[in-house]
Amino acid sequence: SFTYGNNNQHTIYVAVDHKDTSNVHLDQIKELFKQLNDVGTKFAVHNAYFELTVMQRTLGFWLHDIDDTLLMASYVNENEKNGLKKLTKEYFDYDQATYEETTGGRKMSELTLDEVCAYGADDTIMTAGLANVFHILMHLEGVWQTYRDVEIGAAYLTAQAFNDGLPIDMVKLAELTKRDAALKAEQRKIFDQYLISLGWEGTVYTEASEANY
């Protein structure tokens, strides 16, 4: 589905492979995404690793410009679970229907458009809303550009690696693991000495007595 408009007020669910439905062919979906890419459309998705992987496998190309509300959520609150339904409840006090509730144990191809439309449209409506909220909060907190610089390119690389595989030099990996362990031990000594110099509780030996036992 697609949610769009100046206030995300429009949503279209595109039916593909549903029972008793005038479905859209995959080639038509491919052409639609190509045109959206060509005009510089920016997309908000939830879980770019999954969405980019599936799109590249299915259609053979990427969305050119994305934001990922799953990643954005971790910048807004790193202690919060960032599943779409959890975030929807947290920020909009809205309970989305589950896959199980919608399908009743059937496959999606066994459902008609009427049975699946609301469920299918719901995800993009909520993702669009979360993207707006997170965009504002991240700008206020000064982390927006960091998120764009650190996360977005990596999301594409991760999806590409999932589809194409990633050659790993096990000898080099072992060398890096050994190097990192040594560096961690060295830095831990510095950190421990700093805590000891502050008299941090638990770092300095204190003889037990009736007063402190």
Side-chain angles (χ1 to χ4, degrees):
S1 63
F2 300 88
T3 294
Y4 64 98
N6 293 333
N7 196 35
N8 296 321
Q9 70 270 34
H10 305 296
T11 298
I12 298 173
Y13 180 77
V14 182
V16 179
D17 196 28
H18 286 304
K19 177 183 175 182
D20 299 331
T21 300
S22 179
N23 291 296
V24 174
H25 194 273
L26 193 60
D27 287 342
Q28 295 172 299
I29 297 291
K30 186 173 182 178
E31 182 60 29
L32 173 60
F33 275 115
K34 279 187 174 180
Q35 291 189 29
L36 291 172
N37 266 341
D38 288 345
V39 297
T41 303
K42 185 165 188 174
F43 300 89
V45 301
H46 190 81
N47 192 357
Y49 306 127
F50 174 80
E51 298 293 348
L52 290 174
T53 298
V54 170
M55 183 169 184
Q56 205 273 341
R57 281 191 171 188
T58 305
L59 304 180
F61 57 87
W62 306 112
L63 301 176
H64 287 172
D65 190 5
I66 64 163
D67 278 318
D68 183 357
T69 49
L70 185 147
L71 294 172
M72 295 166 77
S74 67
Y75 278 75
V76 173
N77 186 347
E78 69 274 16
N79 298 312
E80 185 176 73
K81 292 183 178 180
N82 50 12
L84 182 58
K85 289 177 173 55
K86 168 68 171 58
L87 293 170
T88 296
K89 182 63 175 178
E90 176 71 21
Y91 287 92
F92 303 125
D93 194 24
Y94 172 64
D95 294 304
Q96 289 187 274
T98 66
Y99 179 85
E100 291 75 17
E101 290 169 344
T102 302
T103 62
R106 295 172 292 170
K107 297 179 180 179
M108 275 291 178
S109 59
E110 297 173 328
L111 301 178
T112 66
L113 174 61
D114 286 343
E115 291 176 301
V116 78
C117 184
Y119 171 82
D122 219 16
D123 279 359
T124 57
I125 294 172
M126 293 298 102
T127 298
L130 288 169
N132 284 342
V133 172
F134 292 158
H135 187 269
I136 293 170
L137 293 176
M138 292 168 73
H139 272 284
L140 290 173
E141 294 177 2
V143 297
W144 175 258
Q145 197 56 51
T146 300
Y147 148 78
R148 290 291 302 179
D149 292 343
V150 172
E151 306 292 351
I152 300 305
Y156 283 94
L157 291 174
T158 301
Q160 188 72 55
F162 187 90
N163 282 338
D164 297 346
L166 185 67
I168 299 176
D169 185 335
M170 298 305 294
V171 174
K172 185 64 174 179
L173 179 61
E175 291 176 358
L176 293 174
T177 301
K178 184 178 179 179
R179 183 203 67 183
D180 290 347
L183 180 61
K184 179 181 178 181
E186 179 183 339
Q187 296 299 318
R188 181 56 189 258
K189 288 180 181 178
I190 296 173
F191 183 64
D192 287 347
Q193 287 300 318
Y194 173 70
L195 293 179
I196 292 171
S197 70
L198 296 178
W200 197 266
E201 185 178 355
T203 65
V204 179
Y205 170 74
T206 303
E207 186 175 348
S209 65
E210 289 186 3
N212 61 24
Y213 183 69

